[in-house]
Amino acid sequence: VTANNQGKIYGQTLTLGAGQTNFASSGLVNGDAVTSVTLTSAGTAAGAAVGNYPIIPSAAVGSGLTNYSLAYSNGTLTVALTAPLVLA
């Protein structure tokens, strides 16, 4: 179970926690599935400094998961000073 990378602007709050669907899972078979995970990061607060923070997944919920030994991989939360400028 891998947390997806996310970004936010300094001064904004990003809501994570239980019931998140911003992740990817692999290796499950026969209709078994992860439907949600808990995601945490020190970078979610509005006052979090500009930079990168780990997004830590845990507590996967789903069907048939007792048949597996789940492994978790962090994603990255990038806190930026302003939204990136896209030039066409």
Side-chain angles (χ1 to χ4, degrees):
V1 178
T2 301
N4 291 344
N5 295 335
Q6 297 186 54
K8 74 174 194 91
I9 303 302
Y10 174 80
Q12 295 178 342
T13 300
L14 178 66
T15 302
L16 296 178
Q20 296 293 306
T21 58
N22 219 346
F23 67 92
S25 62
S26 62
L28 304 177
V29 296
N30 297 328
D32 296 340
V34 175
T35 55
S36 70
V37 297
T38 297
L39 299 175
T40 58
S41 178
T44 59
V50 171
N52 293 324
Y53 299 84
I55 300 173
I56 304 165
S58 63
V61 175
S63 60
L65 300 183
T66 57
N67 299 323
Y68 301 90
S69 176
L70 296 178
Y72 295 95
S73 296
N74 294 348
T76 300
L77 171 59
T78 301
V79 179
L81 192 53
T82 61
L85 179 63
V86 177
L87 300 175

